[in-house]
Amino acid sequence: MSDPLKHECGIALIRLLKPLEYYKEKYGTAFYGINKMYLMMEKQHNRGQDGAGFASIKLDVKPGQRYISRVRSNEAQPIQDIFAQINERINTELEEHPEIKDDVAAQKAQIPYIGELMMGHVRYGTFGKNSIESVHPFLRQNNWMHRNLIMAGNFNMTNVFELFDKLVELGQHPKDMADTVTVMEKVGHFQDREVSKLYKKFKAEGLSKMESSPKIAEQLNVAKVLKKSAKDWDGGYAMGGLMGHGDAFLLRDPSGIRPAYYYQDDEVVVVASERPVIQTAFNAPFEEVKELDPGKAIIIKKNGKVSIEQILKPLERKACSFERIYFSRGSDAEIYQERKKLGHLLFPKIMEFIDHDIDNTVFSYIPNTAETSFYGMVEAAHAALDVEKRNAILAGEGKLTAQEVEDTLSRKLRTEKIAIKDAKLRTFITEDSSRDDLVAHVYDVTYGVVKENDNLVIIDDSIVRGTTLKKSILKMMDRLKPKKIVVVSSAPQIRYPDCYGIDMARLEGLVAFRAALALHEDRGTYDTVEQIYKKCKSQVDFKDKDVINYVKELYAPFTDQEVSNKIGELLSDNDLNAEVKIVYQTVDNLHKACPKNLGDWYFTGDYPTNGGNRVVNRAYINFFEKNDERAY
């Protein structure tokens, strides 16, 4: 993606089903779980580089022994940092106590981080400070083992203020209004209530407090806790939790907005945000890594029993399509094919913009995530060229000379790596002109492969803000002196803000939104902008379920291509010599390429939860009132 876009988070959960001695004997180390967690987190580093955290729980420890360990980092390389800390602590203990080198029980008793249950998280901060306090997992502590709670997730809630108020109504005094804290306190509240009910039950049966403890662990109904906790949540989430006594869960939102996959064999239960992460870390076959259905939770009891429970009634499936376009690793078998199809489906439109002149067109891509859709585009181009060659030979009716046949067959598609993304350039001078000049050189180009009469087609996975295109990519491409630059987006026009995990909260940051405003100004219909504002403003006190997305009316008078053409104008500086055209994917083709992930609210404004309409209206109000506050 050419535009820097912060997004998503990644979560990993491991429950070892065998005693630690088993892994020592089979794999040569009692640190098997830690090693696998490191691998899973590294394989999800694409999902978050602002922070990373790890937490573990030891099962069946004696009172007085530490059984919960947690480490978090917001350093520049947070995953490496937390595991460097873990390794240093482990190595120190082994150096100071060489007698425990082969004693797994002693290692478990004396060394932190070793345990049967562990959770890791990689974070992209969607807003606010990237302080260590914002890094997951979060910990809710209590002297009662059953009341300890560790939580981490990939999520955003649209109604965090409402959830905060409900906690206050319950008599709590939350330390923060962040959605992570709010969610954890809600789960913790009902966890506490369930533990208290069980304790009273066992006390009435004549059991002592000590005798009640293992019974509480056995009978604690995690599904019941989650059903009560999540009842009012509005957002996209994959929410993981570890309870101090050893129960664990991961809950997915009822629209399936955020992804979650799991795998189980006789040694481990694993949950992660992406399927290939599990496949790679555990050498698991594709078909054995299951997707967690929307509204369901995978629950792992302390005794190792695993169940899939329906926590919330599933809504219409709106799994995030951006996962397929950009966020998730392209090594997933399904995602790889979907991205290729996105590029393939764009080719007929590309042909229109290059006047079907394949011979005088160079095809390329914006590195690196657009590479797979580039392969799909190229496959379609090869097929089109084969048709042209076949038709030319058939049209000769057997009268072509050998040289003419050879010339026809020798026509090749011209594909090159044109754009080269350099390491981030440090802007050490604050003067605007100096800064702009450095930004313009974030990308470099390959010289000597584009002729002056060539079209240059370059595919990106999405065009969100267009800033990098305007300030860097187009300027660099123009140096090659093509007659036309066709920039292709494998995603449709991003017209609406996201509120479920991606850093796209402001409408005016979206180039499609700015293009629509410019079209209204061109056509003398700019009063529409204020009319939409008044409609949005009139709904401020409505309940979420009654709010209508009136921002759709901004785009309604224009065709997709009219908006695309205006985007091309906005991104083209007057000093560019080449003609610039922008080609976007259609929503219909997006659905064809990614039929299981129909969460298209970025492009259509059809939000999967009620809170989405409130957020988009609030974002529009903020734009009109020149208010820099976030919409959620």
Side-chain angles (χ1 to χ4, degrees):
M1 179 181 285
S2 54
D3 288 315
L5 187 65
K6 291 190 174 184
H7 59 85
E8 298 308 320
C9 292
I11 190 167
L13 190 155
I14 297 175
R15 169 65 154 88
L16 302 179
L17 297 175
K18 304 283 190 182
L20 295 181
E21 287 80 3
Y22 171 91
Y23 305 94
K24 170 70 171 176
E25 181 177 344
K26 182 171 181 179
Y27 299 105
T29 177
F31 312 130
Y32 172 83
I34 294 175
N35 292 337
K36 290 298 185 184
M37 181 59 76
Y38 172 67
L39 184 56
M40 290 180 72
M41 290 176 68
E42 276 290 5
K43 292 297 180 182
Q44 293 186 104
H45 80 274
N46 55 295
R47 303 187 70 85
Q49 296 165 33
D50 287 341
F54 169 93
S56 65
I57 291 179
K58 305 174 191 280
L59 302 183
D60 301 315
V61 301
K62 296 178 181 179
Q65 288 186 348
R66 182 178 178 182
Y67 60 97
I68 294 178
S69 299
R70 180 179 63 148
V71 58
R72 299 181 293 173
S73 174
N74 62 345
E75 296 295 320
Q77 301 290 330
I79 300 173
Q80 290 89 333
D81 183 46
I82 62 173
F83 282 96
Q85 294 181 52
I86 291 171
N87 288 333
E88 182 180 3
R89 183 64 186 274
I90 290 173
N91 292 332
T92 299
E93 292 290 338
L94 291 176
E95 288 171 6
E96 293 179 356
H97 303 281
E99 70 278 4
I100 70 171
K101 179 182 177 183
D102 295 311
D103 188 340
V104 176
Q107 289 178 4
K108 179 178 174 179
Q110 294 179 221
I111 302 177
Y113 308 116
I114 299 176
E116 295 86 353
L117 184 58
M118 54 200 73
M119 184 161 60
H121 187 269
V122 291
R123 176 181 186 266
Y124 261 128
T126 51
F127 65 95
K129 297 178 181 178
N130 188 35
S131 64
I132 194 68
E133 287 80 12
S134 301
V135 178
H136 301 205
F138 280 47
L139 172 61
R140 189 177 193 260
Q141 292 181 288
N142 194 289
N143 268 351
W144 280 59
M145 184 179 282
H146 321 86
R147 292 184 174 181
N148 282 284
L149 178 64
I150 302 168
M151 287 194 71
N154 167 20
F155 70 100
N156 263 354
M157 298 297 174
T158 71
N159 61 335
V160 65
F161 299 114
E162 176 189 341
L163 296 175
F164 181 89
D165 291 342
K166 286 183 180 293
L167 285 178
V168 175
E169 290 171 11
L170 290 171
Q172 292 193 20
H173 190 94
K175 64 180 181 180
D176 198 340
M177 199 176 282
D179 49 8
T180 311
V181 172
T182 305
V183 165
M184 182 176 68
E185 291 299 336
K186 192 75 175 292
V187 175
H189 171 78
F190 288 107
Q191 179 185 353
D192 288 346
R193 284 184 60 179
E194 193 67 14
V195 169
S196 295
K197 287 180 183 179
L198 288 171
Y199 170 66
K200 289 176 183 177
K201 171 188 171 184
F202 296 130
K203 182 180 180 182
E205 294 174 3
L207 274 65
S208 68
K209 293 179 180 179
M210 188 174 294
E211 291 170 328
S212 297
S213 188
K215 301 282 285 183
I216 292 172
E218 180 184 327
Q219 295 191 23
L220 182 63
N221 190 331
V222 178
K224 184 177 178 182
V225 170
L226 293 177
K227 286 175 183 177
K228 290 186 175 181
S229 304
K231 182 175 61 174
D232 300 316
W233 293 353
D234 187 290
Y237 49 87
M239 197 80 66
L242 314 178
M243 296 179 178
H245 61 278
D247 286 355
F249 65 85
L250 191 133
L251 169 63
R252 191 179 185 194
D253 68 83
S255 299
I257 296 170
R258 299 273 71 89
Y261 296 86
Y262 67 94
Y263 167 75
Q264 179 183 3
D265 59 24
D266 62 342
E267 295 182 350
V268 294
V269 182
V270 188
V271 191
S273 295
E274 298 191 27
R275 178 173 20 221
V277 171
I278 300 175
Q279 288 183 260
T280 298
F282 293 91
N283 194 25
F286 175 91
E287 61 275 5
E288 291 186 20
V289 181
K290 310 294 185 183
E291 184 176 6
L292 186 63
D293 290 333
K296 289 187 177 181
I298 179 170
I299 296 172
I300 311 157
K301 289 293 290 178
K302 189 235 178 188
N303 62 11
K305 180 184 176 183
V306 179
S307 61
I308 307 296
E309 305 280 351
Q310 190 74 57
I311 304 301
L312 296 164
K313 182 180 178 181
L315 303 174
E316 182 181 0
R317 181 184 167 93
K318 290 289 185 179
C320 172
S321 56
F322 240 133
E323 285 284 348
R324 322 302 278 189
I325 297 167
Y326 172 64
F327 297 148
S328 292
R329 292 172 71 87
S331 56
D332 183 283
E334 289 184 345
I335 291 175
Y336 183 79
Q337 295 302 326
E338 290 171 10
R339 289 183 182 175
K340 284 184 70 176
K341 191 165 186 179
L342 286 168
H344 191 283
L345 292 170
L346 278 161
F347 191 71
K349 194 71 173 178
I350 294 170
M351 284 288 273
E352 292 180 24
F353 279 85
I354 63 172
D355 300 319
H356 298 264
D357 185 5
I358 293 179
D359 294 308
N360 293 303
T361 300
V362 174
F363 296 89
S364 192
Y365 61 93
I366 304 293
N368 289 317
T369 53
E371 186 175 2
T372 307
S373 58
F374 168 74
Y375 292 146
M377 177 182 71
V378 165
E379 283 185 3
H382 277 302
L385 186 56
D386 287 345
V387 170
E388 288 188 10
K389 290 191 285 188
R390 183 189 66 205
N391 290 343
I393 292 172
L394 291 175
E397 297 180 342
K399 298 175 183 178
L400 297 179
T401 66
Q403 184 61 51
E404 287 172 330
V405 171
E406 186 175 332
D407 290 344
T408 299
L409 292 176
S410 65
R411 292 176 63 198
K412 303 293 184 185
L413 198 69
R414 297 168 62 198
T415 60
E416 305 287 353
K417 185 170 184 179
I418 297 294
I420 303 165
K421 189 171 186 180
D422 286 327
K424 287 184 178 179
L425 293 167
R426 293 187 178 275
T427 309
F428 56 91
I429 302 174
T430 58
E431 182 189 20
D432 287 345
S433 59
S434 299
R435 180 182 296 272
D436 288 346
D437 184 58
L438 285 174
V439 169
H441 291 79
V442 168
Y443 283 85
D444 207 343
V445 289
T446 302
Y447 293 95
V449 294
V450 177
K451 304 190 299 289
E452 289 195 14
N453 64 331
D454 281 339
N455 302 303
L456 176 55
V457 173
I458 189 154
I459 190 168
D460 198 353
D461 44 36
S462 58
I463 304 169
V464 184
R465 303 182 182 100
T467 307
T468 308
L469 269 177
K470 182 180 180 70
K471 292 189 175 182
S472 179
I473 294 172
L474 289 175
K475 291 179 184 293
M476 298 304 293
M477 298 296 138
D478 195 54
R479 292 186 178 189
L480 303 178
K481 303 188 185 306
K483 66 179 180 183
K484 184 185 292 185
I485 302 172
V486 181
V487 182
V488 184
S489 170
S490 69
Q493 296 166 5
I494 297 170
R495 298 180 167 193
Y496 303 93
D498 181 58
C499 51
Y500 304 118
I502 305 164
D503 188 20
M504 293 195 307
R506 298 181 60 180
L507 278 166
E508 55 267 42
L510 306 178
V511 68
F513 181 79
R514 300 198 304 273
L517 293 177
L519 284 170
H520 279 293
E521 192 163 1
D522 291 347
R523 300 184 184 186
T525 56
Y526 202 80
D527 58 334
T528 300
V529 176
E530 184 172 0
Q531 292 169 12
I532 294 171
Y533 165 72
K534 290 177 179 178
K535 290 180 179 180
C536 293
K537 195 75 172 176
S538 70
Q539 301 182 104
V540 166
D541 296 323
F542 285 16
K543 291 183 178 179
D544 285 356
K545 64 181 180 64
D546 299 322
V547 176
I548 297 170
N549 180 1
Y550 283 117
V551 183
K552 289 183 178 183
E553 295 183 4
L554 187 79
Y555 301 97
F558 314 120
T559 66
D560 290 353
Q561 194 54 54
E562 285 173 333
V563 176
S564 294
N565 291 342
K566 179 55 69 172
I567 290 172
E569 292 178 26
L570 294 178
L571 299 183
S572 301
D573 280 345
N574 293 330
D575 56 354
L576 292 181
N577 294 307
E579 180 185 2
V580 175
K581 292 294 183 182
I582 306 291
V583 177
Y584 277 96
Q585 188 72 263
T586 66
V587 173
D588 285 344
N589 280 345
L590 172 67
H591 292 170
K592 290 176 185 176
C594 309
K596 296 180 183 178
N597 284 51
L598 301 178
D600 58 13
W601 58 92
Y602 318 92
F603 320 114
T604 63
D606 296 333
Y607 287 88
T609 75
N610 291 330
N613 287 338
R614 172 175 46 79
V615 169
V616 69
N617 279 272
R618 170 49 62 185
Y620 192 89
I621 292 169
N622 289 347
F623 146 72
F624 193 87
E625 295 179 351
K626 296 180 172 57
N627 184 345
D628 288 336
E629 290 182 5
R630 292 181 64 86
Y632 63 95

